[in-house]
Amino acid sequence: MKEYAEAQAEMALLKAKNEALEAMAGTKQGSRASAGLADSNFGGSELYLLLQDSNQLAELREFARQEGAEKYLMFWQDVKDFSELSEAVDDLEVLHQTAEVIYSKYLGRGEGGLTAVPDRIREEVRSKCNDPQGSLGGMFFNAQSHVLEFLEAELYPQFKSAKNSKPRSRRKKQGSSR
């Protein structure tokens, strides 16, 4: 029964994302700050800027997968999508279902939980998920901030180091040879 409910929530998320994309395309509201973090102290960080570039994000995600930390990037992206969705969709039921899926997938107890997020923040999100009439604005902000701090302190330095230590292909100098 729980699997069915999660599948329904995933379907609702996809439907709501499609509706949000259509709404944004129709009103040309496409570029918004991601989950409010652009205004925070992360807005100008190298990592935050990398997260906005799909090519570099793909490289970081592959590295994170190899390091067993891909779920942190997936959480960041899902919360970013949720933030955009919550601005474009007025259906509180869909938004609460979507929030519940994100909570269960990343912040709930179990194997998939993000260890970088403190229990008090997990409980804060959990209580917002349990309040069907409550505001969803910024509900994942603190959790996303902790994940970004973790990525910036742990994963990103390793990524930069690995990227800098890759052997570069040698190019022949162009010009005249004597």
Side-chain angles (χ1 to χ4, degrees), residues 7-25:
Q8 278 187 315
E10 288 280 353
M11 294 278 289
L13 173 62
L14 291 173
K15 181 181 175 194
K17 278 185 177 181
N18 284 336
E19 290 173 1
L21 290 173
E22 288 172 7
M24 285 189 289

Side-chain angles (χ1 to χ4, degrees), residues 137-158:
M139 78 180 298
F140 292 108
F141 181 82
N142 289 335
Q144 192 179 33
S145 293
H146 275 276
V147 165
L148 206 51
E149 287 172 7
F150 166 78
L151 292 171
E152 204 156 51
E154 301 291 328
L155 188 68
Y156 187 61
Q158 294 172 12

Side-chain angles (χ1 to χ4, degrees), residues 66-156:
Q66 293 170 2
E67 297 295 313
E70 184 180 25
K71 63 187 172 186
Y72 290 93
L73 289 173
M74 291 170 56
F75 173 75
W76 186 89
Q77 184 64 53
D78 283 352
V79 170
K80 177 183 174 199
D81 292 347
F82 177 78
S83 177
E84 292 172 1
L85 180 68
S86 66
E87 291 179 24
V89 174
D90 292 330
D91 188 340
L92 278 178
E93 185 178 341
V94 168
L95 292 173
H96 273 281
Q97 288 176 347
T98 305
E100 181 64 40
V101 169
I102 293 171
Y103 175 85
S104 297
K105 191 173 181 181
Y106 301 107
L107 301 175
R109 298 286 175 225
E111 288 179 32
L114 302 176
T115 57
V117 179
D119 287 343
R120 67 178 171 73
I121 292 175
R122 291 171 193 269
E123 291 306 314
E124 175 186 303
V125 173
R126 177 84 231 143
S127 68
K128 288 183 179 183
C129 283
N130 287 336
D131 182 5
Q133 301 304 316
S135 170
L136 297 173
M139 78 180 298
F140 292 108
F141 181 82
N142 289 335
Q144 192 179 33
S145 293
H146 275 276
V147 165
L148 206 51
E149 287 172 7
F150 166 78
L151 292 171
E152 204 156 51
E154 301 291 328
L155 188 68
Y156 187 61

